[in-house]
Structures are given as structure tokens and as C-alpha cells.
């Protein structure tokens, strides 16, 4: 899978929505909340950061699952990109300024 769009099926999702197209860049921008901004969207990673800080969160595809990480520590896992973007959105909404529960 390459390019700027993908289907949910490309990420292992099934069901009626699995053939719908996802614009990875647009979905990542929509997931950002509060002070978070899209850092990068690639084949295996979507990242967000807060400008002028070291606060980042990464959604990475690993071993056929999506894993949301903060400071290399996992904060959640998902089976599809769609679920991962929703998890990232909830995480960033709860921490609009980048606060971390382990600080």
C-alpha cells in the first residue's frame, strides 16, 4: 500500500466500511485536538506534536496492529487505522496541552 489514500481494508478492517477511502493526511488533521498539530503521516506512522515543545504522540503500525505511543510508551492499541485515529483523537482531546499521566 502506497500513496496518500488507503482503504480500511488495507489495514485489516472488515465489514461494509472496509472499502471506503481514507485520506491519511486529512484524517490525521481531523484527529488533532487542542494545541496538537499533525507532524507526519506515512505508510506505518502518523505523528502529532505541539509546536515549540517536545510533546509528541505517534500512531504506529506494528505486527499487524496500530499502537499509540507517547515517549515510546504504549498508551493504547487498535486493530485498524480508523480505530487508531479515534483513539489518538480521544487521547489528544484529554491532553490538549500535551500533559502526560506519568509526569
Amino acid at each position: 500500500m502506497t500513496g496518500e489514500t488507503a482503504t480500511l481494508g488495507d489495514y485489516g478492517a472488515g465489514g461494509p466500511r472496509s472499502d471506503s477511502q481514507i485520506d491519511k493526511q486529512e484524517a490525521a488533521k481531523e484527529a488533532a485536538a487542542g494545541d496538537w498539530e499533525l507532524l507526519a503521516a506515512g505508510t506505518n506512522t502518523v505523528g502529532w506534536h505541539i509546536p515549540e515543545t517536545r510533546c509528541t504522540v505517534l500512531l504506529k503500525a506494528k505486527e499487524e496492529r496500530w499502537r499509540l505511543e507517547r515517549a515510546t510508551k504504549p498508551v493504547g492499541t487498535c486493530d485498524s487505522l480508523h480505530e487508531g485515529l479515534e483513539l489518538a483523537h480521544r487521547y489528544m482531546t484529554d491532553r490538549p496541552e500535551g500533559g502526560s499521566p506519568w509526569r
Side-chain angles (χ1 to χ4, degrees), residues 91-103:
Y91 182 88
M92 290 183 285
T93 299
D94 291 344
R95 297 161 187 83
E97 297 174 358
S100 174
W102 52 80
R103 282 188 187 167

Side-chain angles (χ1 to χ4, degrees), residues 48 57-59 66-70 73-76 87-88 91:
W48 297 267
V57 65
L58 299 174
L59 183 62
W66 285 88
R67 183 166 136 160
L68 189 66
E69 297 179 353
R70 173 75 193 275
K73 295 176 175 63
V75 295
L87 173 63
Y91 182 88

Side-chain angles (χ1 to χ4, degrees), residues 48-67:
W48 297 267
H49 79 293
I50 295 179
E52 300 178 23
T53 72
R54 296 178 64 193
C55 298
T56 61
V57 65
L58 299 174
L59 183 62
K60 296 182 175 184
K62 288 187 175 182
E63 299 169 5
E64 298 183 24
R65 294 201 75 189
W66 285 88
R67 183 166 136 160

Side-chain angles (χ1 to χ4, degrees), residues 2-103:
T2 61
E4 295 301 314
T5 61
T7 67
L8 292 173
D10 290 332
Y11 295 97
R17 296 176 59 194
S18 63
D19 291 330
S20 61
Q21 291 287 312
I22 294 178
D23 181 320
K24 293 182 285 185
Q25 293 275 352
E26 190 59 34
K29 288 176 186 174
E30 288 176 8
D35 293 333
W36 296 95
E37 292 184 358
L38 175 66
L39 173 64
T43 303
N44 296 330
T45 304
V46 180
W48 297 267
H49 79 293
I50 295 179
E52 300 178 23
T53 72
R54 296 178 64 193
C55 298
T56 61
V57 65
L58 299 174
L59 183 62
K60 296 182 175 184
K62 288 187 175 182
E63 299 169 5
E64 298 183 24
R65 294 201 75 189
W66 285 88
R67 183 166 136 160
L68 189 66
E69 297 179 353
R70 173 75 193 275
T72 70
K73 295 176 175 63
V75 295
T77 59
C78 297
D79 291 327
S80 73
L81 174 62
H82 181 74
E83 292 170 336
L85 289 167
E86 287 180 355
L87 173 63
H89 177 76
R90 286 192 308 270
Y91 182 88
M92 290 183 285
T93 299
D94 291 344
R95 297 161 187 83
E97 297 174 358
S100 174
W102 52 80
R103 282 188 187 167

